[in-house]
Amino acid sequence: MLREIRPAIVLLLALTAITGLAYPLAMTAIAGALFPARAEGSLIEKDGKVVGSALIGQEFKDDKYFHGRPSATVAPDPNDSSKTVSAPYNAANSGGSNLGPTSKALADRLKEDVDKLKAENPNAAVPVDLVTTSASGLDPDISPEAAQFQVPRVAKARNMQEEQVKQLVTANTEGRLLGVLGEPRVNVLALNLALDRAAAR
């Protein structure tokens, strides 16, 4: 019986060593050598301190900053573990809200957000990504249109010329990958850091 079981045990141990240890270590080493910043989480630093990642959104509430997409992520309520509370950009609980088009809660939130944005910039159409959440709830990017929509508010809050803020948006707009994949986008954290640098000059 041992003769029949022994090859299975040897094969299990060999495959475990190859696929569970050697392969992941090799891929980690290759990724670290070819793409060091990405392999370490695409971290963004300011004054030598990590302030975030280019891959995960952050909540900006102050009028002097560009705001990202709404986030539907939640966390357990510290006062009642059977409930949840809003926790924007909670990477430990990535996911959408699962609210469908007939949901009254979703319709009420959308109406409230649209009304607030129309009051902020009544002369422009509200870009859809400023009121809708992404599937992950962690999207770090907005469309160039969503960034341009916020220019008047940010410029006013910072006492800057709108044209100067528009130039920052344009400078921080990334195009389609290889010219065809995806959509043009603006990383909100990178844009806000560029805004801080420009305001400090």
Side-chain angles (χ1 to χ4, degrees), residues 47-115:
D47 301 328
K49 293 182 181 177
V50 174
V51 293
S53 168
L55 305 175
I56 297 177
Q58 291 184 24
E59 187 174 34
F60 293 94
K61 290 186 175 182
D62 197 316
D63 281 349
K64 68 180 187 173
Y65 287 111
F66 285 89
H67 303 162
R69 291 184 76 168
S71 175
T73 57
V74 294
D77 186 337
N79 301 319
D80 184 353
S81 61
S82 66
K83 297 179 181 176
T84 58
V85 294
S86 177
Y89 304 102
N90 177 9
N93 196 12
S94 173
S97 68
N98 290 329
L99 298 178
T102 59
S103 167
K104 183 176 180 339
L106 177 62
D108 290 346
R109 184 193 60 80
L110 288 173
K111 183 180 183 325
E112 184 181 320
D113 288 354
V114 168
D115 289 346

Side-chain angles (χ1 to χ4, degrees), residues 38 47 79 96 99 102 128 143-144 148 165 181 191:
R38 290 182 185 174
D47 301 328
N79 301 319
L99 298 178
T102 59
V128 71
S143 65
Q148 293 291 351
V165 179
L181 299 174
L191 177 57

Side-chain angles (χ1 to χ4, degrees), residues 128-141:
V128 71
D129 56 324
L130 285 181
V131 294
T132 57
T133 63
S134 65
S136 69
L138 306 176
D139 198 342
D141 303 322

Side-chain angles (χ1 to χ4, degrees), residues 163-191:
E163 191 54 42
Q164 185 184 5
V165 179
K166 283 181 182 179
Q167 288 173 0
L168 285 172
V169 170
T170 302
N172 283 277
T173 298
E174 298 176 50
R176 291 179 168 90
L177 183 63
L178 303 175
V180 292
L181 299 174
E183 292 296 323
R185 64 206 176 281
V186 179
N187 186 281
V188 178
L189 177 58
L191 177 57

